[in-house]
Amino acid sequence: MCSDTEQTARGSSEGKPRYRTTPATEHAEGFPIFLSPQEVAALDEYRDSDPYSVEEGLATPFHQRRVVSTLALVGKALQSLGRPSRILDLGCGRGHITREIQKAYPETHISGLDCSVSAIEYADRHSNRICYAVADARTPPYCDGYFDVVVCNNLWEHVPDPAAMLAEIVRITATGGFLVVSTPSRYRLRNLARVLTGRPVAFMSDKHITEYSVGQVLEQLRYGGFDVVEVTSSPIGTYGLKLRLAWLVFSAGVALFRSHHRLESTVFYLARRV
């Protein structure tokens, strides 16, 4: 845990995060930066535009499901905790989902972290009630056990070693606190169809390092010190008749053999720190 002397000035007031290290610098807008100038330049993937086109796609069914599913699991975590809570959106990008969490649960203290200074500039301009910081999600600068809920929305597939990142998430999450993870299902319907016809799986984005099966994510979470409370997936979507029939057949097989596979594109996990 952090002592009072380990807090930054920004983290010393009520509702502000507590940091265990001093930031390398502070942005002109007031948020802390825990990266060197060289790292800031190298990691600023939002410098020219949003590489994931989240803002343009917020009205699409895919992003609507991301928001609704994330809020639902955060709500279950907060209900279980039954107390005023601190939430961290880890790898928050421009803060679109962070702001949705803040609007849905205004009584909580919300923080957002991303390695892109341009993303955090955008996020900070669009909300004065969320505490943002620039840092590497694999080495979050917060004090031990500070957060009650940590959200990792489609971050898992972007890091080379999610188990190492999970160890840091465990460190900053209070005992009995919650982790909400969303990540693509490696063996979603389209990829199962590819595998059955002798083709390799296809990633949802060329920015993904890899994509995991549901079973692999469950193993990672349990190994990392979390009990998985719920696994849910977004609706299959509006596919044609042939794909709907195939989905029904595959779903029956998945249920029959109690497989960990999910046929939808993205799977959401709610896990509690032991």
Side-chain angles (χ1 to χ4, degrees):
M1 300 293 291
C2 295
S3 67
D4 290 340
T5 58
E6 290 174 300
Q7 299 179 56
T8 65
R10 185 177 174 86
S12 59
S13 60
E14 181 64 28
K16 299 293 185 180
R18 299 180 66 195
Y19 303 112
R20 66 171 185 168
T21 58
T22 302
T25 186
E26 187 172 273
H27 192 274
E29 297 299 323
F31 57 80
I33 299 175
F34 292 88
L35 300 176
S36 69
Q38 294 78 16
E39 290 172 318
V40 167
L43 298 175
D44 193 10
E45 62 178 346
Y46 286 79
R47 181 184 294 107
D48 299 318
S49 63
D50 181 354
Y52 306 104
S53 302
V54 175
E55 186 170 20
E56 294 82 353
L58 278 176
T60 65
F62 173 73
H63 286 297
Q64 288 177 353
R65 290 195 296 269
R66 284 181 66 198
V67 172
V68 169
S69 298
T70 299
L71 293 182
L73 293 184
V74 169
K76 289 181 180 181
L78 295 175
Q79 184 178 25
S80 179
L81 289 166
R83 63 173 186 266
S85 299
R86 303 184 183 104
I87 301 174
L88 171 64
D89 189 0
L90 191 64
C92 65
R94 287 181 166 180
H96 297 296
I97 292 179
T98 325
R99 290 191 293 278
E100 293 299 323
I101 296 172
Q102 191 276 322
K103 286 190 290 184
Y105 305 107
E107 72 283 0
T108 61
H109 297 298
I110 314 289
S111 298
L113 180 147
D114 201 273
C115 63
S116 170
V117 68
S118 295
I120 295 301
E121 286 173 347
Y122 180 99
D124 194 62
R125 284 198 305 270
H126 287 78
S127 177
N128 58 6
R129 297 183 59 194
I130 299 171
C131 297
Y132 287 106
V134 177
D136 192 327
R138 297 171 297 180
T139 54
Y142 305 101
C143 291
D144 294 2
Y146 183 77
F147 291 102
D148 300 294
V149 182
V150 176
V151 176
C152 288
N153 209 305
N154 287 80
L155 175 63
W156 224 248
E157 63 275 12
H158 291 276
V159 296
D161 188 354
M165 183 176 69
L166 185 59
E168 281 294 293
I169 293 172
V170 169
R171 181 186 65 76
I172 64 175
T173 304
T175 301
F178 288 88
L179 171 62
V180 176
V181 173
S182 67
T183 190
S185 172
R186 184 178 183 89
Y187 295 111
R188 53 192 173 272
L189 179 59
R190 293 186 185 277
N191 271 348
L192 277 180
R194 291 178 66 89
V195 170
L196 290 175
T197 55
R199 293 176 294 168
V201 297
F203 290 173
M204 290 179 66
S205 169
D206 58 7
K207 299 182 184 300
H208 294 177
I209 293 174
T210 190
E211 293 176 357
Y212 298 96
S213 70
V214 173
Q216 287 174 312
V217 177
L218 291 175
E219 291 161 4
Q220 290 167 344
L221 293 173
R222 288 166 179 158
Y223 177 79
F226 284 88
D227 281 338
V228 178
V229 176
E230 183 174 341
V231 180
T232 185
S233 48
S234 54
I236 193 67
T238 55
Y239 295 149
L241 178 59
K242 289 183 179 180
L243 279 178
R244 284 179 175 274
L245 291 174
W247 177 73
L248 290 172
V249 172
F250 281 129
S251 295
V254 166
L256 178 63
F257 295 106
R258 297 184 178 180
S259 170
H260 281 154
H261 296 317
R262 291 295 177 110
L263 302 180
E264 291 80 11
S265 61
T266 303
V267 181
F268 296 79
Y269 306 80
L270 177 65
R272 188 166 197 166
R273 188 191 163 192
V274 178

